[in-house]
Structures are given as structure tokens and as C-alpha cells.
Amino acid sequence: MPVPRLSREELKSRLESADPPIRPLLLDVRLKYPYEHSTMKLPGATRMTLDALDRTALPKDREIVAYDSDPDELVCSRVAAGLIKAGYRASALKGGIVDWLAANFPTETKDAPKAAAPEPGSLKG
């Protein structure tokens, strides 16, 4: 199934021009490692794992845009295709978050994992 793709400029325009209740719903569907080791996300994005998609009720009256960290949109295309089959208006962000960041478009910060403190005595040579 062909999945519609939005360019970073198209998405930015839609986010800036729409009122909050009708703005596209952004789904951050990056795989676990890229998501957890990043400190950035698109403004207002909701984290959604592939497992949670089946158990989460999403609004049918809003456009949904999924993004990932793969420049070929592998994960977000699969997510968008599944949403379209389920009756949602969905698309994938071309180039993912990498392309968005390259344009210096707005982002929000998020927590990244913190290094655990070393075990007592583990740093002795």
C-alpha cells in the first residue's frame, strides 16, 4: 500500500497554520534505542511503540503523521500503512527526525537515559 509522505516543510506549515485541536497528531515511532538515546522530539509529539499501537485509541478526526529516525522511513511507513488500513488519515514524515533536525526546525527536549553510577570499587585499577 502506498503511504502518503509529507516533507518537513509541509508538516511545519501544517503545524503552524492549524488551531491546536486540528493540528496533525505527531507520533514518534522511533525504535527503542534511537528514541531512548535522543534528547529531541518534534513539538507536541506523542511517543508510540509498535506494540502500543494496537492498544491505543487514536482520534479518527485528526490527521496523524508518524516519524522515525530512518531516512528511508521504514518504521513510520509501516505504522502509517497500518493506520490507513484501520481507517485513519495517516502519513509518514519524509526523512524522519533526521531531516527535520537538519533544517533546524523547532524541537522539544526530552529526557535521555542517564549513565548509572559506577559500582563501589569498580574503578580501582
Side-chain angles (χ1 to χ4, degrees), residues 24-100:
L25 173 62
L26 300 178
L27 294 184
D28 186 329
V29 296
R30 288 179 280 178
L31 297 176
K32 182 179 175 161
Y33 184 88
Y35 177 80
E36 288 181 353
H37 289 83
S38 169
T39 58
M40 304 279 187
K41 68 176 190 164
L42 271 61
T46 300
R47 171 69 176 148
M48 188 70 57
T49 63
L50 296 176
D51 295 338
L53 275 170
D54 295 334
R55 302 184 313 269
T56 305
L58 297 171
K60 293 247 183 182
D61 61 340
R62 286 178 69 187
E63 176 185 13
I64 298 173
V65 179
Y67 71 91
D68 59 24
S69 57
D70 184 340
D72 294 323
E73 307 100 33
L74 295 177
V75 175
C76 66
S77 294
R78 194 170 102 204
V79 167
L83 290 171
I84 291 168
K85 285 180 186 175
Y88 294 92
R89 290 181 302 133
S91 57
L93 176 62
K94 284 185 203 173
I97 193 170
V98 174
D99 201 39
W100 184 270

XYZ file of all heavy atoms in Angstrom, residues 24-100:
595
model
N -2.080 18.309 13.062
C -1.785 16.878 12.936
C -1.260 16.322 14.256
O -0.521 17.000 14.978
C -0.691 16.838 11.864
C -0.809 18.120 11.119
C -1.329 19.122 12.100
N -1.664 15.109 14.546
C -1.148 14.400 15.719
C 0.164 13.752 15.298
O 0.196 12.970 14.346
C -2.144 13.338 16.171
C -1.689 12.400 17.282
C -1.404 13.164 18.565
C -2.738 11.334 17.521
N 1.245 14.098 15.981
C 2.558 13.550 15.655
C 2.840 12.332 16.511
O 2.734 12.399 17.737
C 3.649 14.600 15.886
C 3.534 15.879 15.071
C 4.661 16.837 15.436
C 3.547 15.581 13.592
N 3.196 11.238 15.858
C 3.573 10.017 16.566
C 5.054 9.759 16.367
O 5.523 9.593 15.237
C 2.779 8.816 16.050
C 1.286 8.802 16.287
C 0.691 7.487 15.789
C 0.947 9.013 17.759
N 5.789 9.723 17.457
C 7.211 9.391 17.434
C 7.298 7.870 17.545
O 7.088 7.298 18.608
C 7.910 10.062 18.608
C 9.413 9.886 18.587
O 9.899 8.841 18.087
O 10.111 10.784 19.094
N 7.583 7.216 16.427
C 7.615 5.752 16.401
C 9.037 5.222 16.204
O 9.233 4.116 15.712
C 6.658 5.176 15.326
C 5.212 5.522 15.665
C 7.016 5.667 13.929
N 10.023 6.024 16.625
C 11.406 5.557 16.517
C 11.579 4.264 17.298
O 10.893 4.034 18.304
C 12.368 6.610 17.083
C 12.503 7.824 16.188
C 13.436 8.837 16.786
N 12.740 9.621 17.807
C 13.321 10.568 18.530
N 14.609 10.833 18.389
N 12.614 11.240 19.417
N 12.486 3.446 16.831
C 12.795 2.226 17.556
C 13.364 2.589 18.922
O 13.781 3.727 19.162
C 13.781 1.371 16.756
C 13.252 0.877 15.405
C 14.342 0.130 14.654
C 12.019 0.005 15.582
N 13.385 1.621 19.820
C 13.734 1.866 21.217
C 15.078 2.577 21.398
O 15.158 3.603 22.064
C 13.740 0.538 21.985
C 14.050 0.704 23.439
C 14.029 -0.610 24.187
C 14.466 -0.330 25.608
N 14.130 -1.302 26.549
N 16.143 2.059 20.815
C 17.466 2.637 21.036
C 17.559 4.079 20.516
O 17.972 4.979 21.245
C 18.562 1.761 20.422
C 19.950 2.272 20.722
C 20.611 1.886 21.888
C 20.588 3.168 19.873
C 21.867 2.372 22.185
C 21.850 3.659 20.162
C 22.486 3.248 21.325
O 23.721 3.742 21.620
N 17.168 4.346 19.258
C 17.249 5.739 18.784
C 16.397 6.697 19.616
O 16.789 7.835 19.846
C 16.757 5.672 17.345
C 16.921 4.255 16.935
C 16.763 3.440 18.186
N 15.220 6.232 20.061
C 14.366 7.107 20.868
C 15.003 7.377 22.225
O 15.111 8.531 22.654
C 12.973 6.495 21.053
C 12.117 7.352 21.954
C 11.497 8.488 21.445
C 11.950 7.048 23.298
C 10.727 9.304 22.269
C 11.187 7.861 24.123
C 10.578 8.985 23.600
O 9.830 9.797 24.426
N 15.418 6.328 22.893
C 15.919 6.488 24.255
C 17.239 7.247 24.319
O 17.553 7.840 25.340
C 16.075 5.128 24.931
C 14.739 4.513 25.284
C 14.869 3.178 25.987
O 15.997 2.654 26.092
O 13.836 2.667 26.432
N 18.007 7.233 23.251
C 19.304 7.893 23.278
C 19.287 9.247 22.578
O 20.325 9.769 22.194
C 20.378 6.963 22.694
C 20.656 5.829 23.607
N 19.873 4.697 23.626
C 21.571 5.672 24.589
C 20.324 3.885 24.567
N 21.340 4.446 25.162
N 18.140 9.796 22.447
C 17.981 11.122 21.863
C 17.426 12.063 22.926
O 16.716 11.638 23.841
C 16.997 11.045 20.695
O 16.637 12.337 20.276
N 17.743 13.321 22.803
C 17.192 14.320 23.714
C 16.203 15.232 22.996
O 15.788 16.241 23.540
C 18.316 15.174 24.334
O 19.040 15.804 23.280
C 19.239 14.333 25.193
N 15.837 14.870 21.768
C 14.946 15.708 20.959
C 13.730 14.935 20.474
O 13.790 13.725 20.271
C 15.676 16.209 19.710
C 16.930 16.944 19.954
S 16.527 18.622 20.369
C 18.143 19.337 20.393
N 12.654 15.683 20.269
C 11.470 15.150 19.606
C 10.786 16.305 18.897
O 11.075 17.480 19.183
C 10.528 14.469 20.596
C 9.858 15.407 21.569
C 8.874 14.653 22.445
C 8.040 15.646 23.252
N 6.855 15.045 23.807
N 9.905 16.003 17.981
C 9.158 17.055 17.305
C 8.170 17.672 18.290
O 7.696 16.984 19.209
C 8.425 16.499 16.087
C 9.214 16.521 14.774
C 10.472 15.699 14.831
C 8.348 16.124 13.622
N 7.845 18.957 18.113
C 6.969 19.645 19.068
C 5.614 18.959 19.229
O 4.913 18.721 18.257
C 6.799 21.036 18.468
C 7.905 21.197 17.494
C 8.269 19.820 17.019
N 5.290 18.627 20.463
C 3.993 18.026 20.768
C 3.853 16.563 20.406
O 2.778 15.987 20.543
N 4.927 15.937 19.960
C 4.844 14.535 19.532
C 4.526 13.615 20.705
O 4.947 13.852 21.838
C 6.158 14.107 18.880
N 3.799 12.564 20.399
C 3.462 11.524 21.363
C 4.286 10.294 21.051
O 4.326 9.848 19.899
C 1.958 11.162 21.257
O 1.193 12.339 21.531
C 1.584 10.055 22.215
N 4.939 9.753 22.054
C 5.715 8.525 21.879
C 4.759 7.358 21.711
O 3.807 7.195 22.486
C 6.624 8.307 23.100
C 7.319 6.971 23.131
C 8.357 6.872 22.050
N 9.083 5.613 22.174
C 9.572 4.972 21.141
N 9.437 5.442 19.927
N 10.227 3.849 21.302
N 5.011 6.537 20.691
C 4.170 5.381 20.442
C 5.055 4.226 19.989
O 5.741 4.331 18.983
C 3.142 5.720 19.351
C 2.102 4.677 19.125
S 0.910 4.488 20.471
C 0.229 6.121 20.616
N 5.054 3.158 20.754
C 5.791 1.969 20.335
C 4.910 1.158 19.399
O 3.679 1.297 19.393
C 6.195 1.101 21.538
O 5.005 0.625 22.181
C 7.052 1.886 22.530
N 5.530 0.300 18.625
C 4.758 -0.528 17.702
C 3.774 -1.409 18.453
O 2.648 -1.617 18.003
C 5.697 -1.369 16.847
C 6.612 -0.571 15.913
C 7.566 -1.509 15.177
C 5.810 0.261 14.943
N 4.177 -1.921 19.608
C 3.285 -2.770 20.406
C 2.073 -2.000 20.915
O 0.976 -2.534 21.001
C 4.031 -3.371 21.597
C 5.133 -4.320 21.164
O 5.079 -4.837 20.040
O 6.060 -4.538 21.975
N 2.269 -0.744 21.273
C 1.187 0.046 21.861
C 0.159 0.493 20.833
O -0.967 0.831 21.193
C 1.764 1.255 22.581
N 0.514 0.511 19.570
C -0.426 0.976 18.546
C -1.725 0.190 18.543
O -2.795 0.761 18.354
C 0.214 0.894 17.160
C 1.053 2.093 16.765
C 1.822 1.795 15.499
C 0.213 3.332 16.612
N -1.636 -1.100 18.741
C -2.834 -1.937 18.727
C -3.730 -1.698 19.942
O -4.914 -1.992 19.898
C -2.449 -3.420 18.676
C -1.755 -3.784 17.380
O -1.992 -3.102 16.359
O -0.960 -4.737 17.386
N -3.154 -1.165 21.004
C -3.908 -0.998 22.248
C -4.296 0.454 22.522
O -4.861 0.750 23.560
C -3.076 -1.506 23.422
C -2.649 -2.955 23.309
C -1.900 -3.421 24.554
N -0.870 -2.517 25.015
C 0.410 -2.548 24.652
N 0.822 -3.448 23.796
N 1.274 -1.695 25.147
N -3.975 1.344 21.619
C -4.193 2.762 21.861
C -5.275 3.306 20.937
O -5.244 3.079 19.736
C -2.882 3.550 21.616
O -1.858 2.989 22.429
C -3.051 5.009 21.972
N -6.206 4.027 21.528
C -7.247 4.674 20.734
C -6.724 6.031 20.276
O -6.340 6.864 21.090
C -8.505 4.849 21.565
N -6.687 6.224 18.984
C -6.239 7.486 18.411
C -7.447 8.203 17.817
O -8.409 7.563 17.394
C -5.194 7.227 17.322
C -3.902 6.564 17.788
C -3.044 6.147 16.598
C -3.121 7.502 18.699
N -7.399 9.529 17.767
C -8.552 10.266 17.225
C -8.701 10.057 15.722
O -7.747 10.195 14.974
C -8.227 11.729 17.553
C -6.746 11.771 17.727
C -6.324 10.419 18.212
N -9.898 9.704 15.301
C -10.158 9.479 13.872
C -10.412 10.788 13.136
O -10.392 10.824 11.912
C -11.367 8.558 13.691
C -11.128 7.152 14.171
C -11.126 6.210 13.027
C -10.949 4.785 13.557
N -10.890 3.828 12.523
N -10.639 11.867 13.876
C -10.953 13.139 13.232
C -9.723 14.012 12.998
O -9.850 15.142 12.541
C -11.984 13.905 14.060
C -11.482 14.236 15.459
O -10.528 13.586 15.938
O -12.054 15.158 16.083
N -8.542 13.510 13.291
C -7.312 14.285 13.079
C -6.373 13.551 12.142
O -6.336 12.324 12.120
C -6.581 14.502 14.410
C -7.265 15.521 15.283
C -6.574 15.693 16.603
N -5.267 16.329 16.483
C -4.433 16.444 17.516
N -4.751 15.967 18.701
N -3.266 17.030 17.358
N -5.610 14.329 11.397
C -4.552 13.750 10.586
C -3.454 13.258 11.523
O -3.137 13.909 12.522
C -3.993 14.812 9.649
C -2.817 14.351 8.834
C -2.201 15.472 8.005
O -2.505 16.645 8.235
O -1.397 15.128 7.129
N -2.862 12.111 11.219
C -1.781 11.554 12.026
C -0.527 11.487 11.159
O -0.579 10.999 10.026
C -2.142 10.157 12.549
C -3.375 10.242 13.456
C -0.956 9.532 13.291
C -3.924 8.906 13.887
N 0.569 12.000 11.694
C 1.849 11.951 10.989
C 2.829 11.192 11.874
O 3.095 11.592 13.007
C 2.398 13.360 10.667
C 3.744 13.261 9.959
C 1.395 14.147 9.834
N 3.327 10.089 11.352
C 4.298 9.280 12.086
C 5.699 9.621 11.591
O 5.896 9.895 10.410
C 4.013 7.793 11.877
N 6.662 9.602 12.528
C 8.047 9.812 12.118
C 8.956 8.881 12.889
O 8.623 8.397 13.974
C 8.487 11.277 12.282
C 8.658 11.737 13.709
C 9.884 11.632 14.356
C 7.602 12.296 14.410
C 10.047 12.065 15.663
C 7.754 12.725 15.709
C 8.978 12.618 16.332
O 9.124 13.043 17.629
N 10.113 8.601 12.288
C 11.114 7.759 12.935
C 12.480 8.381 12.703
O 12.568 9.556 12.318
C 11.028 6.311 12.435
C 11.217 6.171 10.933
O 11.844 7.051 10.301
O 10.751 5.174 10.372
N 13.543 7.623 12.925
C 14.891 8.161 12.739
C 15.563 7.611 11.485
O 16.715 7.918 11.226
C 15.752 7.854 13.968
O 15.787 6.465 14.202
N 14.843 6.839 10.704
C 15.388 6.244 9.488
C 15.111 7.157 8.300
O 13.966 7.501 8.038
C 14.717 4.882 9.265
C 15.278 4.139 8.071
O 15.890 4.769 7.196
O 15.096 2.918 8.014
N 16.144 7.578 7.567
C 15.913 8.452 6.410
C 15.036 7.813 5.331
O 14.477 8.515 4.496
C 17.311 8.747 5.866
C 18.284 8.109 6.775
C 17.550 7.304 7.796
N 14.889 6.496 5.346
C 14.027 5.812 4.380
C 12.620 5.572 4.924
O 11.818 4.889 4.282
C 14.654 4.482 3.962
C 15.949 4.687 3.192
O 16.026 5.654 2.404
O 16.884 3.902 3.395
N 12.336 6.078 6.093
C 11.008 5.990 6.730
C 10.477 4.568 6.862
O 9.288 4.318 6.670
C 9.957 6.828 5.967
C 10.302 8.253 5.731
C 10.815 8.504 4.324
O 10.395 7.841 3.367
O 11.678 9.376 4.186
N 11.315 3.616 7.182
C 10.872 2.215 7.226
C 9.817 1.954 8.295
O 8.782 1.346 8.024
C 12.067 1.287 7.426
C 13.073 1.265 6.274
C 14.250 0.372 6.614
C 12.409 0.829 4.992
N 10.064 2.392 9.513
C 9.121 2.118 10.602
C 7.875 2.982 10.469
O 6.749 2.484 10.554
C 9.787 2.333 11.985
C 8.775 2.168 13.106
C 10.947 1.371 12.170
N 8.055 4.274 10.255
C 6.881 5.147 10.208
C 5.988 4.860 8.998
O 4.771 5.019 9.082
C 7.273 6.615 10.295
S 8.213 7.266 8.922
N 6.554 4.380 7.897
C 5.734 3.994 6.746
C 4.866 2.793 7.090
O 3.691 2.733 6.714
C 6.611 3.669 5.541
O 7.270 4.813 5.109
N 5.455 1.843 7.800
C 4.687 0.661 8.217
C 3.565 1.055 9.178
O 2.431 0.584 9.063
C 5.626 -0.347 8.867
C 5.003 -1.702 9.029
C 6.032 -2.717 9.448
N 5.855 -2.920 10.878
C 6.777 -3.345 11.709
N 7.979 -3.598 11.270
N 6.520 -3.522 12.964
N 3.876 1.949 10.100
C 2.866 2.427 11.049
C 1.756 3.161 10.302
O 0.570 2.902 10.525
C 3.510 3.341 12.116
C 2.453 4.095 12.904
C 4.403 2.521 13.039
N 2.127 4.079 9.418
C 1.121 4.848 8.674
C 0.244 3.925 7.830
O -0.977 4.102 7.769
C 1.799 5.901 7.793
N 0.840 2.918 7.198
C 0.057 1.970 6.395
C -0.959 1.240 7.265
O -2.122 1.071 6.874
C 0.978 0.975 5.693
N -0.544 0.803 8.426
C -1.463 0.126 9.348
C -2.591 1.037 9.804
O -3.746 0.611 9.908
N -2.270 2.298 10.063
C -3.297 3.254 10.477
C -4.287 3.520 9.348
O -5.499 3.608 9.573
C -2.648 4.558 10.943
C -1.880 4.478 12.266
C -1.093 5.769 12.500
C -2.812 4.193 13.426
N -3.780 3.635 8.130
C -4.661 3.856 6.977
C -5.620 2.674 6.817
O -6.821 2.858 6.614
C -3.832 4.093 5.697
C -3.108 5.434 5.792
C -4.712 4.022 4.456
C -2.039 5.644 4.740
N -5.085 1.461 6.952
C -5.944 0.274 6.847
C -7.020 0.259 7.927
O -8.099 -0.278 7.724
C -5.106 -1.001 6.947
C -4.322 -1.294 5.705
C -3.510 -2.558 5.864
C -2.615 -2.779 4.659
N -1.735 -3.928 4.824
N -6.713 0.861 9.087
C -7.669 0.905 10.201
C -8.614 2.099 10.102
O -9.424 2.324 11.012
C -6.915 0.944 11.528
N -8.517 2.880 9.023
C -9.463 3.969 8.814
C -8.998 5.346 9.235
O -9.799 6.286 9.274
N -7.727 5.511 9.541
C -7.198 6.815 9.932
C -6.646 7.553 8.721
O -6.278 6.942 7.726
C -6.067 6.659 10.956
C -6.515 6.108 12.281
C -6.485 4.736 12.537
C -6.955 6.951 13.291
C -6.892 4.230 13.759
C -7.363 6.459 14.518
C -7.323 5.092 14.745
O -7.726 4.589 15.949
N -6.546 8.878 8.839
C -5.836 9.692 7.844
C -4.406 9.801 8.345
O -4.125 10.531 9.295
C -6.445 11.088 7.734
C -7.809 11.108 7.095
C -8.370 12.522 6.979
N -8.450 13.163 8.296
C -8.017 14.395 8.561
N -7.470 15.133 7.626
N -8.137 14.902 9.765
N -3.499 9.060 7.750
C -2.132 8.997 8.243
C -1.121 9.173 7.124
O -1.394 8.859 5.969
C -1.898 7.658 8.957
N 0.042 9.659 7.516
C 1.153 9.796 6.575
C 2.458 9.654 7.344
O 2.473 9.606 8.573
C 1.087 11.140 5.842
O 1.092 12.200 6.765
N 3.545 9.592 6.588
C 4.883 9.478 7.170
C 5.661 10.754 6.855
O 5.451 11.371 5.808
C 5.609 8.265 6.579
N 6.550 11.127 7.759
C 7.397 12.295 7.541
C 8.604 11.887 6.714
O 9.382 11.020 7.130
C 7.848 12.889 8.879
C 8.829 14.066 8.796
C 8.207 15.248 8.062
C 9.279 14.460 10.192
N 8.769 12.492 5.538
C 9.924 12.197 4.675
C 11.214 12.511 5.421
O 11.359 13.594 5.980
C 9.900 13.062 3.415
C 8.937 12.669 2.370
C 9.140 13.575 1.156
C 7.908 13.625 0.308
N 8.017 14.620 -0.763
N 12.128 11.562 5.422
C 13.429 11.789 6.046
C 13.431 11.711 7.554
O 14.488 11.797 8.176
N 12.272 11.570 8.160
C 12.183 11.409 9.611
C 12.734 12.590 10.389
O 12.897 13.698 9.875
N 13.027 12.324 11.656
C 13.510 13.372 12.542
C 14.873 13.896 12.095
O 15.208 15.059 12.312
C 13.531 12.906 14.018
C 13.730 14.114 14.956
C 14.567 11.824 14.231
C 13.536 13.817 16.422
N 15.657 13.053 11.421
C 16.978 13.481 10.950
C 16.837 14.639 9.973
O 17.545 15.649 10.069
C 17.730 12.290 10.316
C 19.034 12.741 9.690
C 17.973 11.202 11.343
N 15.907 14.522 9.041
C 15.674 15.573 8.061
C 15.120 16.831 8.733
O 15.489 17.953 8.391
C 14.713 15.060 6.980
C 14.802 15.843 5.700
O 15.919 16.224 5.309
O 13.742 16.082 5.083
N 14.230 16.644 9.693
C 13.649 17.769 10.442
C 14.754 18.538 11.179
O 14.814 19.769 11.125
C 12.616 17.227 11.424
C 11.858 18.261 12.191
C 12.206 18.812 13.395
C 10.608 18.862 11.827
N 11.251 19.710 13.798
C 10.259 19.762 12.856
C 9.765 18.718 10.743
C 9.091 20.515 12.834
C 8.595 19.475 10.723
C 8.270 20.361 11.761
